[in-house]
């Protein structure tokens, strides 16, 4: 699959549910209204959709949410998709999780063919963690990280940089990841969805400032390593681990975008920061043949835009797009 700008679309991120057991302050409102179950694709339909993308050239598949591991019977989908790893059609099947359910599922994820996962963790302070996630418990996530490490899963920590919240912890998090054998990626907050009384302008911290802060203590060597996603990576000389920076605002990554995002309702977003989307649920359910589905996917890829228009400043404090990250599948 090649988009209008010559980019090969080889990476599909799939939100298997919009539900989550946390209510992170930069992602959701505390009183969220979730999709009715009737609108959500079955696991069998998600499998068929993902398999169509693999057949059309996707080599990397990431399951997201919401929190993917709260979806009932999610391991049935993971095990089924693992067949594409066995056949060689898929290079990687992976997962982004908040870690709350990892203690339960880590061994099964490894057995199904996963080799690495991303865990969203913005602070190492239990009280601050409870405040950021509203409902989460840090010790439960740590249990999950321990279980994933024992299972042999490589772990990358994803941390959203939040001004006045966790900006005093970046050195500590980098050191901790080095001790644990984890890679670390910092992410700029993205203007997606209403989040209540807080504003993204209050939360937004440019990662150029974060990098400058870290370089006072750490030696960050530039590297050409790519994980298939949007991060730009450095090697932290003192720990030997990687540090990634995802900068949708200060330096967008659109020129190399190889990704599309599928929601749990079968809606395909060709760009995280644009509202244009394609309905894949209708052609999926239209016929047992995948021909209508393949045509719909091809038409969607032909509309993929050059890039997003994320802006956060005093004139643009409202969300750039109305949907929450949990709907799109970050």
């Amino acid at each position: 699959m090649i988009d209008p700008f010559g980019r090969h679309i080889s990476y599909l991120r799939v939100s298997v549910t919009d539900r989550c057991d946390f209510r992170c302050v930069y992602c959701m409102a505390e009183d969220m209204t979730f999709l009715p179950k009737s609108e959500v694709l079955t696991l069998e339909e998600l499998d068929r959709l993902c398999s169509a993308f693999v057949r059309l050239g996707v080599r990397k598949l990431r399951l997201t949410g919401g929190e993917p591991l709260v979806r009932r019977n999610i391991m049935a989908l993971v095990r089924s998709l693992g067949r594409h790893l066995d056949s060689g059609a898929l290079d990687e099947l992976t997962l982004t999780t908040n870690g709350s359910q990892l203690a339960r599922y880590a061994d099964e994820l490894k057995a199904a063919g996963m080799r690495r996962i991303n865990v969203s963790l913005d602070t190492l302070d239990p009280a601050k963690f409870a405040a950021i996630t509203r409902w989460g418990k840090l010790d439960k996530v740590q249990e999950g990280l321990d279980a994933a490490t024992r299972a042999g899963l490589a772990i990358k920590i994803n941390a959203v940089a939040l001004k006045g919240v966790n900006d005093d912890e970046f050195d500590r998090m980098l050191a901790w990841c080095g001790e644990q054998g984890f890679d670390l990626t910092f992410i700029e907050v993205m203007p997606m969805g209403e989040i209540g009384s807080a504003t993204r302008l209050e939360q937004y911290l440019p990662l150029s400032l974060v990098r400058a802060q870290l370089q006072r203590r750490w030696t960050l060597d530039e590297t050409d390593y790519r994980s298939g996603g949007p991060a730009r990576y450095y090697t932290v000389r003192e720990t030997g681990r990687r540090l990634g920076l995802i900068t949708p605002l200060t330096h967008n990554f659109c020129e190399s975008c190889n990704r599309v995002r599928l929601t749990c309702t079968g809606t395909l977003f060709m760009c995280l920061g644009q509202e244009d989307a394609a309905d894949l649920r209708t052609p999926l359910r239209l016929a047992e043949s995948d021909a209508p589905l393949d045509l719909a996917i091809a038409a969607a890829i032909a509309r993929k835009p050059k890039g997003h228009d994320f802006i956060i400043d005093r004139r643009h404090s409202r969300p750039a797009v109305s949907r929450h990250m949990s709907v799109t599948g970050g």
Side-chain angles (χ1 to χ4, degrees), residues 135-283:
W135 296 1
K137 290 182 171 55
L138 183 59
D139 58 352
K140 191 173 182 181
V141 174
Q142 185 61 64
E143 288 175 12
L145 290 169
D146 292 343
T149 299
R150 289 193 301 271
L153 290 165
I155 295 169
K156 180 165 72 71
I157 300 296
N158 285 347
V160 176
L162 298 166
K163 182 170 61 178
V165 178
N166 62 355
D167 47 0
D168 60 341
E169 290 191 75
F170 297 154
D171 285 323
R172 181 187 176 198
M173 292 192 73
L174 202 60
W176 176 75
C177 284
E179 294 163 3
Q180 300 294 316
F182 303 157
D183 291 339
L184 172 64
T185 291
F186 287 115
I187 307 170
E188 288 176 340
V189 68
M190 299 187 199
M192 298 186 65
E194 294 288 356
I195 54 172
S197 59
T199 70
R200 288 322 185 326
L201 182 59
E202 293 169 350
Q203 298 173 338
Y204 172 55
L205 180 63
L207 289 192
S208 55
L209 298 181
V210 174
R211 185 177 65 180
Q213 174 185 328
L214 291 171
Q215 284 175 320
R216 295 173 192 154
R217 174 177 172 183
W218 308 92
T219 308
L220 306 182
D221 296 323
E222 292 192 24
T223 174
D224 59 2
Y225 172 79
R226 292 290 180 267
S227 65
R232 288 176 168 81
Y233 285 95
Y234 301 82
T235 299
V236 184
R237 195 179 300 176
E238 290 80 359
T239 68
R241 306 305 307 181
R242 293 189 183 100
L243 171 69
L245 302 177
I246 297 181
T247 54
L249 290 134
T250 55
H251 186 286
N252 77 49
F253 35 76
C254 302
E255 71 278 357
S256 60
C257 183
N258 61 344
R259 300 169 293 289
V260 288
R261 289 171 168 83
L262 181 69
T263 76
C264 57
T265 64
T267 301
L268 185 73
F269 287 97
M270 289 72 78
C271 174
L272 180 64
Q274 302 281 1
E275 293 285 15
D276 186 31
D279 169 25
L280 300 185
R281 183 172 61 186
T282 298

Side-chain angles (χ1 to χ4, degrees), residues 99-135:
S100 67
Q101 307 297 317
L102 265 181
R104 177 182 178 186
Y105 288 117
D107 289 331
E108 290 185 73
L109 293 171
K110 181 65 184 296
M114 287 196 184
R115 296 295 172 260
R116 66 185 184 100
I117 58 173
N118 290 358
V119 179
S120 299
L121 179 63
D122 304 315
T123 177
L124 299 175
D125 180 279
K128 200 181 292 184
F129 182 85
I132 291 173
T133 63
R134 294 189 176 107
W135 296 1

Side-chain angles (χ1 to χ4, degrees), residues 47-123:
D47 188 346
R48 185 178 162 199
L49 263 177
C50 291
S51 298
F53 276 94
V54 171
R55 186 178 66 253
L56 294 171
V58 159
R59 303 293 305 181
K60 178 177 178 179
L61 187 60
R62 178 178 295 278
L63 304 183
T64 70
E67 168 49 46
L69 295 180
V70 302
R71 175 80 191 252
R72 187 183 297 273
N73 296 326
I74 185 60
M75 287 310 305
L77 176 63
V78 175
R79 286 190 292 269
S80 182
L81 291 174
R83 73 188 186 279
H84 298 305
L85 296 170
D86 295 336
S87 73
L90 193 63
D91 293 331
E92 184 174 36
L93 173 63
T94 186
L95 177 87
T96 294
T97 174
N98 64 26
S100 67
Q101 307 297 317
L102 265 181
R104 177 182 178 186
Y105 288 117
D107 289 331
E108 290 185 73
L109 293 171
K110 181 65 184 296
M114 287 196 184
R115 296 295 172 260
R116 66 185 184 100
I117 58 173
N118 290 358
V119 179
S120 299
L121 179 63
D122 304 315
T123 177

